[in-house]
Amino acid sequence: MKIRIKFSKQGNMKFIGHLDTMRFFQKAIRRTGVDIRYSEGFSPHQIMSFAAPLGVGLTGSGEYVDIEVLSSGPSAEMVRRLNAAMAEGMEIISFKRLPDSAANAMSLVAACDYTVRLRPEYEDRLGAASEFFAGLDAFLESGDLHIMKKTKKGEKELDLRPLIFEHRPDEETGCFLKLSAGSAANIKPELVLETYCLAAGREYSPFAFQINRQEVYALQTDGDTKGRRFIPLEAFGEDIE
Amino acid sequence: MRKPALPDEILLRIQQPARYIGGEINMCVKDPKSVDIRFAMCFPDVYDIGMSHLGIQILYEMFNRREDVYCERVYSPWTDLDAIMKKERIPLFALESQDPVREFDFLGITLQYEMCYTNILQILELSGIPFHAADRTWEDPIVIGGGPCAYNPEPIADFFDLFYIGEGETVYFDLLDAYKESRRLGESRTIFLKRAARISGIYVPSLYDVSYHADGTLKSFTPNCPEAPAKVQKQLVMDMAGSFYPEKPLVPFIKVTQDRIVLEIMRGCIRGCRFCQAGMVYRPVREKNVDELKHLAYQMLKNTGHEEISLSSLSSSDYRSLEELVSFLIETFHGKGVNVSLPSLRIDAFSLDVMSKVQDVKKSSLTFAPEAGSQRLRNVINKGLSEDDILNGATEAFKGGWNRVKLYFMLGLPTETIEDMEGIALLSEKIAAAYYDLPKESRNGRVQVVASTSFFIPKPFTPFQWAKMCTKDEFLERARVVNQKMKEMRNHKSLKYNWHEADVSVLEGVLARGDRRVAAVIEEAYRNGALYDAWSESFRNEVWMEAFRTCGVSPEFYTTRERSLDELLPWDFIDTGVTKEFLKREWQNALEEKVTKNCREQCAGCGIRRFGGGVCYEDPN
């Protein structure tokens, strides 16, 4: 049985890298006694795959991991049991059954939502948050978004504009970005911020921003709808009653 | 949400920030204001090493079961953070509360190897605690040391208020109670230390006066107050059945050295190898109850989610219920995503059978520790492993599909000759030849025999405590002899030889058998940049050699000098239960190449029987 788990990774958990997050989940699953399926072979491992690695320093409120289980209790109970095995800052949001034919989360990823907050102690250097993000928004609307991206063979010109699906100032955090993600074209929010700082003559610092990944989406491919339609990965599953 | 002591900007620019944030599964959370005693338990090395240490896990859970105590953890910040904390004057903090260490009542430092001594000074400096116990006030925690190196605490005696000699489970609570009482009564720090000195097993260095002969040897070592005993008694858990063991060990976020459950099955060792300090100071052998271990294994796996369980002891093959325990572990857990790992097993039919069940034969190797290359020298060191044992074990293993062998030896053992050194190559060759003697169809490609040598360092409380240690050049010359002989072997293409660094061995030799005068050298070396000396990438021998010169201390006095049997040794004030007469007898037996039987074959009268338990009182049937 395929299961998709949605979780959040907040607070100090942002310092836990992707591989360690995987290890954390493997151990949490064993503590919880989830009836996970193991691979065959001499050293069996849990059937588990994450949708998209989250960089160290970023928080996430809509992260995904797919697992396969041999049996399962109701979703509500599984969420409760897993939450009892979480460390402070990790929280299970949902536990949903996927159709057997469902593609794994990693292969589906097409876009991610981010919110970006400017740390108050950096406002001296980068300007007041409201002004900074207004500037960013205007830049993303009409600035030159061609960048040189380093590749294995050297450098390649890349236009970020078609890869930034949405952008707007956000009252609560600072700004909201919906960016292309996944194997086709993966754009990190840091790259967008750095490009803006460079163009605006502001000193970019990777520590100036607290970035939260809010949601991970798949692209709706069926039908002949013209516009893009993104579906949260969670929507592919259903609660187990 | 717990807030880290370090700002994000620092945590995100150092390696492995998860070393410093705490919050691991099974971490103890208490309100520091609700307890009487805050105890910072420190392993003076990087988190990855310190979190792998069983002793701290035991004491951590044991202390925290007391409502009036909050025990937290501290590790050495890695060199990247060390530089930042010193530059920005950030005080060292404990992982649980992220509060500064200096605010604690106790700073307990475990002493697992001599090469961590400069890291002790790093911990003190970053915490803002004076290096010298004599300079501390009630504004500072009581700094207490424990663990194997506390069996010769003298080189670091100046830096500690107290040492705990022996196993931590026995009198720590008495010490904590004495502290509470002392603080309640508003006593001075000195009065508290005198109170502590009356507890069996507690050594207070400041309560002893030391004098030296003109030749530099120790003249006297005497208590300077009635509270301090002339002899400090080693502490041992004699009732293993009722002893405390953690059921909920901490589970680190990052992959640490021991990323697994460690199940301690036994303390002590019956073998009596004459170079081995652990084999002497942890006497007598005390086994744990197999049913209790089964229960613990189950609980610990459930509480941690670890995917591997490993047995711990000095010599697991001597645990009498090993077959029962291992069969249980394999049947219960193997195939359910839990690996069973078996270190330090004698290679025989049973262990080969077990190993073939839990390991991939193609990927694993056999390990033997003959320690010396010839039977003569193995008799000197009392290592009861014969060439036949090794060749038969290896041949059986080769038939079972193994084709890789690791051999561990020491160079520089007392009485060692060229023949003993060359014996290392000859034994390696015989093992390779045993493989090629098998019919071709039962072989699995080529054999690989890897021999490694470390340099012998005499340790206190062993029969070799009087022995002369080799110089660096002697060590390297011996390694050269072995290496040369290896190349002459017929199967030399199947043999590989590695040897240890010699500089660090010489320094370890000084720290192992040093006295109080060595403290100045450690301090000088630390001030000139020595840190993480146990790590070859950060060990700087020239800093140490300069420190010896500056302090006018000769390393050779502690290493290459053979002590006379009537010399007062710096650690003689500790009573480990094993008598000095026994050690002298064993030193003589060594020189006469006489083997002493193991504790189960025949009592050698080491003196430990008076502890009233363990192997000394086992039913021989």
Side-chain angles (χ1 to χ4, degrees):
Chain A
M1 190 191 313
K2 290 183 176 178
I3 301 289
R4 180 157 296 156
I5 296 171
K6 182 178 188 179
F7 66 98
S8 77
K9 186 170 180 262
Q10 297 289 317
N12 290 345
M13 292 303 105
K14 70 176 174 228
F15 301 113
I16 310 301
H18 179 62
L19 289 175
D20 292 328
T21 302
M22 285 169 62
R23 283 167 17 87
F24 173 82
F25 268 87
Q26 287 161 3
K27 290 182 201 278
I29 292 233
R30 268 193 293 271
R31 285 195 296 277
T32 314
V34 170
D35 190 12
I36 195 162
R37 199 162 78 80
Y38 282 86
S39 67
E40 307 291 323
F42 205 88
S43 37
H45 58 268
Q46 299 178 354
I47 307 291
M48 174 185 283
S49 74
F50 283 73
L54 186 63
V56 173
L58 276 68
T59 58
S61 42
E63 297 295 300
Y64 291 95
V65 53
D66 287 357
I67 60 172
E68 280 187 39
V69 297
L70 301 172
S71 64
S72 170
S75 291
E77 183 202 322
M78 298 310 283
V79 168
R80 186 177 50 72
R81 276 169 59 189
L82 277 165
N83 271 328
M86 290 293 117
E88 186 182 355
M90 289 282 197
E91 193 190 346
I92 305 297
I93 299 166
S94 70
F95 183 101
K96 289 178 190 279
R97 180 181 183 150
L98 295 171
D100 289 342
S101 60
N104 74 38
M106 194 192 299
S107 66
L108 290 173
V109 175
C112 296
D113 286 350
Y114 297 93
T115 56
V116 183
R117 201 167 57 79
L118 177 61
R119 293 175 190 273
E121 59 271 30
Y122 280 83
E123 287 187 325
D124 286 351
R125 271 177 268 177
L126 290 170
S130 55
E131 183 217 331
F132 179 89
F133 287 116
L136 172 67
D137 202 59
F139 174 72
L140 296 182
E141 199 54 46
S142 53
D144 177 10
L145 292 178
H146 289 81
I147 59 158
M148 297 307 288
K149 201 177 176 183
K150 283 199 183 82
T151 64
K152 279 175 195 159
K153 285 179 190 160
E155 283 193 331
K156 201 178 101 184
E157 196 184 70
L158 179 70
D159 183 8
L160 291 179
R161 181 154 285 117
L163 305 173
I164 301 172
F165 301 143
E166 263 185 75
H167 60 90
R168 60 170 183 271
D170 182 87
E171 228 169 82
E172 201 186 321
T173 57
C175 103
F176 171 91
L177 297 168
K178 187 189 278 293
L179 304 178
S180 172
S183 49
N186 196 50
I187 296 301
K188 290 181 173 176
E190 295 93 319
L191 179 66
V192 175
L193 293 163
E194 192 179 353
T195 304
Y196 166 58
C197 286
L198 199 69
R202 298 175 197 247
E203 183 201 352
Y204 173 75
S205 161
F207 308 118
F209 306 98
Q210 180 58 60
I211 301 169
N212 181 60
R213 182 156 74 186
Q214 279 191 320
E215 186 57 83
V216 181
Y217 297 93
L219 185 63
Q220 177 83 304
T221 47
D222 57 6
D224 49 6
T225 32
K226 284 250 167 83
R228 282 185 295 248
R229 223 185 118 213
F230 293 113
I231 303 160
L233 293 182
E234 186 182 26
F236 290 82
E238 283 182 358
D239 273 335
I240 306 166
E241 297 301 329
Chain B
M1 188 109 41
R2 294 166 56 256
K3 200 175 153 11
L6 298 169
D8 284 9
E9 191 171 312
I10 290 178
L11 284 165
L12 291 174
R13 76 176 197 254
I14 56 177
Q15 296 173 44
Q16 301 279 27
R19 287 169 176 161
Y20 310 105
I21 58 174
E24 304 94 330
I25 294 296
N26 296 333
M27 182 185 89
C28 176
V29 180
K30 287 187 186 183
D31 175 5
K33 287 189 215 72
S34 73
V35 300
D36 297 320
I37 298 175
R38 299 190 68 183
F39 198 112
M41 187 68 85
C42 170
F43 192 113
D45 205 320
V46 73
Y47 176 92
D48 319 37
I49 303 289
M51 277 297 282
S52 305
H53 178 56
L54 175 63
I56 287 188
Q57 294 262 11
I58 295 176
L59 294 180
Y60 179 80
E61 206 171 313
M62 186 180 107
F63 282 16
N64 280 322
R65 294 242 177 131
R66 263 180 80 137
E67 269 187 21
D68 57 347
V69 179
Y70 189 10
C71 179
E72 308 187 30
R73 293 160 298 141
V74 183
Y75 303 101
S76 286
W78 187 240
T79 48
D80 54 351
L81 180 59
D82 176 77
I84 294 172
M85 290 177 83
K86 281 175 180 160
K87 185 162 163 256
E88 303 194 12
R89 300 190 168 277
I90 299 169
L92 185 64
F93 51 89
L95 296 187
E96 277 70 7
S97 63
Q98 301 275 310
D99 286 342
V101 170
R102 193 157 184 247
E103 293 173 8
F104 282 64
D105 297 283
F106 282 91
L107 169 60
I109 302 180
T110 184
L111 308 166
Q112 295 296 316
Y113 30 83
E114 292 84 358
M115 301 316 293
C116 74
Y117 288 173
T118 51
N119 283 58
I120 296 170
L121 297 181
Q122 176 213 28
I123 298 284
L124 293 174
E125 181 181 1
L126 291 175
S127 301
I129 299 170
F131 283 169
H132 293 257
D135 299 332
R136 292 180 197 141
T137 68
W138 274 138
E139 296 299 304
D140 303 297
I142 295 289
V143 181
I144 177 167
C149 293
Y151 285 100
N152 178 23
E154 291 304 275
I156 45 175
D158 285 358
F159 311 136
F160 285 83
D161 296 286
L162 303 170
F163 288 95
Y164 184 120
I165 312 295
E167 295 172 352
E169 292 99 330
T170 58
V171 298
Y172 242 125
F173 284 1
D174 297 342
L175 180 68
L176 299 179
D177 290 338
Y179 176 82
K180 265 173 79 171
E181 181 67 2
S182 202
R183 298 311 307 263
R184 191 181 65 79
L185 295 170
E187 292 175 353
S188 71
R189 202 170 165 103
T190 314
I191 303 280
F192 163 68
L193 293 176
K194 288 183 176 175
R195 239 179 212 280
R198 293 162 73 165
I199 300 169
S200 181
I202 300 295
Y203 165 52
V204 183
S206 59
L207 302 184
Y208 295 79
D209 292 332
V210 181
S211 67
Y212 301 94
H213 291 294
D215 67 359
T217 57
L218 203 55
K219 184 177 178 189
S220 67
F221 187 97
T222 43
N224 57 27
C225 68
E227 290 85 355
K231 285 262 183 186
V232 179
Q233 300 293 321
K234 154 179 104 170
Q235 294 302 302
L236 274 191
V237 177
M238 291 313 297
D239 177 16
M240 293 305 280
S243 82
F244 183 83
Y245 205 76
E247 294 194 8
K248 289 185 159 192
L250 287 143
V251 187
F253 290 111
I254 59 172
K255 199 167 167 55
V256 298
T257 312
Q258 283 274 13
D259 180 37
R260 54 185 71 85
I261 299 276
V262 178
L263 191 61
E264 185 189 38
I265 59 176
M266 179 170 74
R267 288 192 187 166
C269 178
I270 60 171
R271 301 270 149 192
C273 297
R274 292 179 180 130
F275 55 84
C276 179
Q277 189 188 43
M280 295 294 158
V281 300
Y282 295 125
R283 287 178 171 224
V285 160
R286 292 147 291 153
E287 294 188 332
K288 293 174 95 171
N289 176 280
V290 68
D291 293 322
E292 225 171 290
L293 291 177
K294 290 177 187 172
H295 168 78
L296 268 176
Y298 181 79
Q299 285 299 327
M300 291 171 86
L301 283 165
K302 191 171 131 240
N303 290 333
T304 60
H306 276 310
E307 60 185 18
E308 187 169 338
I309 184 161
S310 161
L311 304 183
S312 166
S313 77
L314 291 169
S315 169
S316 298
S317 293
D318 294 324
Y319 178 64
R320 290 172 301 167
S321 310
L322 186 71
E323 293 208 31
E324 181 184 346
L325 180 62
V326 168
S327 307
F328 168 83
L329 293 177
I330 292 175
E331 277 164 30
T332 315
F333 303 117
H334 196 65
K336 292 180 187 162
V338 177
N339 300 321
V340 180
S341 79
L342 305 163
S344 71
L345 279 193
R346 201 165 40 237
I347 304 296
D348 56 21
F350 163 70
S351 60
L352 289 174
D353 177 51
V354 168
M355 282 161 67
S356 65
K357 282 182 192 148
V358 298
Q359 298 170 350
D360 189 343
V361 171
K362 282 190 223 92
K363 288 180 192 153
S364 64
S365 58
L366 299 170
T367 303
F368 295 96
E371 307 293 359
S374 71
Q375 192 57 48
R376 187 202 72 80
L377 193 53
R378 284 194 292 273
N379 291 349
V380 169
I381 64 176
N382 208 42
K383 180 81 194 184
L385 184 65
S386 71
E387 189 170 297
D388 281 350
D389 293 339
I390 296 168
L391 292 178
N392 292 340
T395 305
E396 284 311 303
F398 293 152
K399 288 181 192 160
W402 275 272
N403 63 356
R404 285 195 286 180
V405 180
K406 281 193 252 175
L407 300 170
Y408 291 101
F409 297 95
M410 277 186 281
L411 278 178
L413 286 161
T415 77
E416 186 177 55
T417 63
I418 298 273
E419 289 71 42
D420 300 320
M421 300 168 209
E422 292 183 342
I424 292 173
L426 295 173
L427 180 58
S428 307
E429 167 69 16
K430 280 180 191 162
I431 293 170
Y435 182 80
Y436 292 114
D437 281 348
L438 292 176
K440 202 162 188 185
E441 56 276 14
S442 57
R443 286 184 233 156
N444 175 19
R446 276 176 62 159
V447 72
Q448 190 193 43
V449 181
V450 182
S452 304
T453 58
S454 61
F455 295 121
F456 167 65
I457 301 164
K459 294 280 166 113
F461 293 111
T462 66
F464 291 165
Q465 64 178 355
W466 294 280
K468 167 190 181 308
M469 183 174 153
C470 290
T471 64
K472 176 185 170 184
D473 290 342
E474 286 167 342
F475 276 142
L476 294 176
E477 172 58 22
R478 286 169 199 229
R480 200 193 58 76
V481 169
V482 178
N483 200 32
Q484 183 57 39
K485 193 73 182 175
M486 283 280 183
K487 287 184 184 150
E488 293 169 14
M489 295 294 107
R490 200 162 66 89
N491 290 303
H492 65 94
K493 282 187 179 156
S494 298
L495 310 181
K496 192 172 181 311
Y497 173 54
N498 305 314
W499 63 95
H500 203 256
E501 291 278 337
D503 284 334
V504 72
S505 301
V506 169
L507 183 59
E508 189 182 327
V510 176
L511 300 177
R513 292 193 293 171
D515 54 36
R516 287 192 180 186
R517 293 169 297 186
V518 173
V521 180
I522 299 170
E523 197 173 329
E524 176 69 15
Y526 174 73
R527 290 195 195 278
N528 289 307
L531 187 64
Y532 281 107
D533 299 303
W535 295 72
S536 55
E537 69 257 45
S538 47
F539 176 65
R540 292 165 62 198
N541 192 52
E542 70 287 355
V543 171
W544 278 96
M545 292 308 122
E546 185 61 36
F548 280 109
R549 279 191 292 276
T550 307
C551 299
V553 171
S554 148
E556 292 77 24
F557 177 79
Y558 299 100
T559 51
T560 56
R561 183 173 64 88
E562 181 165 335
R563 280 105 169 129
S564 81
L565 289 180
D566 51 14
E567 181 175 332
L568 179 62
L569 302 171
W571 51 90
D572 275 347
F573 72 94
I574 294 172
D575 179 3
T576 67
V578 174
T579 62
K580 201 168 180 182
E581 285 64 42
F582 170 74
L583 297 178
K584 284 179 185 170
R585 216 156 60 226
E586 280 293 279
W587 179 219
Q588 194 55 42
N589 285 338
L591 298 176
E592 292 169 16
E593 301 169 14
K594 273 195 214 155
V595 170
T596 296
K597 289 190 167 158
N598 78 48
C599 296
R600 286 210 175 103
E601 291 169 333
Q602 187 183 63
C603 177
C606 70
I608 204 70
R609 204 178 149 83
R610 74 175 160 84
F611 274 74
V615 67
C616 313
Y617 295 84
E618 268 174 11
D619 181 350
N621 307 309

Short mmCIF file of all heavy atoms in Angstrom, two decimals, chain B residues 216-238:
data_model
loop_
_atom_site.label_atom_id
_atom_site.label_comp_id
_atom_site.label_asym_id
_atom_site.label_seq_id
_atom_site.Cartn_x
_atom_site.Cartn_y
_atom_site.Cartn_z
N GLY B 216 64.33 13.17 40.17
CA GLY B 216 63.05 13.42 39.51
C GLY B 216 61.96 12.42 39.85
O GLY B 216 60.79 12.65 39.57
N THR B 217 62.32 11.31 40.46
CA THR B 217 61.28 10.34 40.80
C THR B 217 60.51 10.82 42.03
O THR B 217 60.96 11.69 42.78
CB THR B 217 61.89 8.95 41.08
OG1 THR B 217 62.85 9.08 42.13
CG2 THR B 217 62.56 8.38 39.84
N LEU B 218 59.34 10.22 42.19
CA LEU B 218 58.44 10.63 43.26
C LEU B 218 59.01 10.22 44.62
O LEU B 218 59.44 9.08 44.80
CB LEU B 218 57.10 9.94 43.02
CG LEU B 218 55.83 10.52 43.61
CD1 LEU B 218 55.64 11.98 43.19
CD2 LEU B 218 54.63 9.68 43.15
N LYS B 219 59.04 11.18 45.57
CA LYS B 219 59.56 10.88 46.91
C LYS B 219 58.41 10.55 47.86
O LYS B 219 58.43 9.56 48.57
CB LYS B 219 60.36 12.06 47.42
CG LYS B 219 61.04 11.83 48.76
CD LYS B 219 61.88 13.05 49.14
CE LYS B 219 62.52 12.88 50.49
NZ LYS B 219 63.15 14.15 50.92
N SER B 220 57.40 11.42 47.83
CA SER B 220 56.27 11.16 48.72
C SER B 220 54.98 11.69 48.11
O SER B 220 54.99 12.60 47.28
CB SER B 220 56.51 11.83 50.07
OG SER B 220 56.48 13.23 49.89
N PHE B 221 53.90 11.10 48.54
CA PHE B 221 52.57 11.48 48.06
C PHE B 221 51.64 11.30 49.25
O PHE B 221 51.28 10.18 49.60
CB PHE B 221 52.16 10.56 46.90
CG PHE B 221 50.89 10.96 46.22
CD1 PHE B 221 50.92 11.71 45.04
CD2 PHE B 221 49.65 10.62 46.74
CE1 PHE B 221 49.75 12.08 44.41
CE2 PHE B 221 48.48 10.99 46.11
CZ PHE B 221 48.53 11.73 44.94
N THR B 222 51.34 12.39 49.96
CA THR B 222 50.65 12.22 51.24
C THR B 222 49.47 13.17 51.38
O THR B 222 49.52 14.32 50.91
CB THR B 222 51.62 12.50 52.40
OG1 THR B 222 52.39 13.66 52.07
CG2 THR B 222 52.53 11.32 52.65
N PRO B 223 48.43 12.69 52.03
CA PRO B 223 47.28 13.56 52.30
C PRO B 223 47.71 14.72 53.21
O PRO B 223 48.56 14.53 54.08
CB PRO B 223 46.30 12.65 53.05
CG PRO B 223 46.78 11.27 52.88
CD PRO B 223 48.23 11.33 52.57
N ASN B 224 47.14 15.91 52.98
CA ASN B 224 47.48 17.04 53.83
C ASN B 224 46.35 17.42 54.77
O ASN B 224 46.33 18.52 55.34
CB ASN B 224 47.94 18.24 52.99
CG ASN B 224 46.88 18.67 51.98
OD1 ASN B 224 45.68 18.45 52.19
ND2 ASN B 224 47.31 19.27 50.88
N CYS B 225 45.34 16.53 54.89
CA CYS B 225 44.27 16.77 55.85
C CYS B 225 43.67 15.43 56.24
O CYS B 225 43.80 14.45 55.49
CB CYS B 225 43.21 17.69 55.25
SG CYS B 225 42.29 16.92 53.93
N PRO B 226 43.03 15.36 57.40
CA PRO B 226 42.53 14.06 57.88
C PRO B 226 41.43 13.48 57.00
O PRO B 226 41.23 12.26 56.98
CB PRO B 226 42.01 14.36 59.29
CG PRO B 226 41.89 15.85 59.38
CD PRO B 226 42.85 16.43 58.39
N GLU B 227 40.70 14.33 56.26
CA GLU B 227 39.58 13.82 55.46
C GLU B 227 40.05 12.99 54.27
O GLU B 227 39.33 12.15 53.74
CB GLU B 227 38.72 14.98 54.93
CG GLU B 227 37.92 15.71 55.99
CD GLU B 227 38.73 16.79 56.69
OE1 GLU B 227 39.95 16.91 56.43
OE2 GLU B 227 38.14 17.52 57.52
N ALA B 228 41.26 13.26 53.79
CA ALA B 228 41.72 12.59 52.56
C ALA B 228 42.36 11.25 52.92
O ALA B 228 43.29 11.20 53.72
CB ALA B 228 42.72 13.47 51.83
N PRO B 229 41.89 10.16 52.32
CA PRO B 229 42.46 8.85 52.63
C PRO B 229 43.81 8.67 51.95
O PRO B 229 44.06 9.25 50.88
CB PRO B 229 41.43 7.88 52.03
CG PRO B 229 40.81 8.63 50.91
CD PRO B 229 40.81 10.08 51.30
N ALA B 230 44.67 7.86 52.54
CA ALA B 230 45.98 7.59 51.94
C ALA B 230 45.81 6.82 50.64
O ALA B 230 46.55 7.01 49.69
CB ALA B 230 46.85 6.80 52.91
N LYS B 231 44.79 5.95 50.59
CA LYS B 231 44.50 5.18 49.38
C LYS B 231 43.08 5.45 48.94
O LYS B 231 42.16 5.42 49.76
CB LYS B 231 44.64 3.68 49.67
CG LYS B 231 46.08 3.20 49.79
CD LYS B 231 46.53 2.59 48.47
CE LYS B 231 47.95 2.05 48.60
NZ LYS B 231 48.46 1.60 47.29
N VAL B 232 42.90 5.70 47.65
CA VAL B 232 41.55 5.91 47.12
C VAL B 232 41.08 4.60 46.49
O VAL B 232 41.78 4.02 45.66
CB VAL B 232 41.54 7.05 46.08
CG1 VAL B 232 40.14 7.24 45.52
CG2 VAL B 232 42.04 8.35 46.71
N GLN B 233 39.91 4.15 46.91
CA GLN B 233 39.40 2.85 46.47
C GLN B 233 38.66 2.96 45.14
O GLN B 233 37.73 3.74 45.02
CB GLN B 233 38.40 2.30 47.51
CG GLN B 233 38.97 2.10 48.89
CD GLN B 233 40.00 1.00 48.92
OE1 GLN B 233 39.85 -0.02 48.25
NE2 GLN B 233 41.07 1.21 49.67
N LYS B 234 39.03 2.12 44.20
CA LYS B 234 38.27 1.99 42.94
C LYS B 234 36.84 1.56 43.24
O LYS B 234 36.61 0.71 44.11
CB LYS B 234 38.97 0.97 42.05
CG LYS B 234 38.05 0.26 41.05
CD LYS B 234 38.81 -0.71 40.18
CE LYS B 234 38.56 -2.16 40.61
NZ LYS B 234 39.08 -3.14 39.62
N GLN B 235 35.89 2.12 42.50
CA GLN B 235 34.49 1.77 42.67
C GLN B 235 34.06 0.78 41.58
O GLN B 235 34.39 0.97 40.42
CB GLN B 235 33.62 3.03 42.56
CG GLN B 235 33.87 4.00 43.69
CD GLN B 235 33.60 3.35 45.04
OE1 GLN B 235 32.52 2.88 45.30
NE2 GLN B 235 34.62 3.32 45.89
N LEU B 236 33.33 -0.24 41.98
CA LEU B 236 32.87 -1.23 41.02
C LEU B 236 31.43 -1.59 41.30
O LEU B 236 31.02 -1.66 42.46
CB LEU B 236 33.66 -2.53 41.17
CG LEU B 236 34.98 -2.71 40.44
CD1 LEU B 236 35.39 -4.17 40.54
CD2 LEU B 236 34.87 -2.31 38.98
N VAL B 237 30.67 -1.85 40.24
CA VAL B 237 29.33 -2.39 40.41
C VAL B 237 29.47 -3.88 40.62
O VAL B 237 29.97 -4.58 39.75
CB VAL B 237 28.49 -2.13 39.14
CG1 VAL B 237 27.10 -2.74 39.28
CG2 VAL B 237 28.41 -0.65 38.84
N MET B 238 29.08 -4.38 41.77
CA MET B 238 29.23 -5.81 42.00
C MET B 238 27.95 -6.58 41.72
O MET B 238 27.98 -7.78 41.50
CB MET B 238 29.74 -6.09 43.42
CG MET B 238 31.18 -5.65 43.66
SD MET B 238 32.36 -6.14 42.34
CE MET B 238 32.27 -7.93 42.44
#
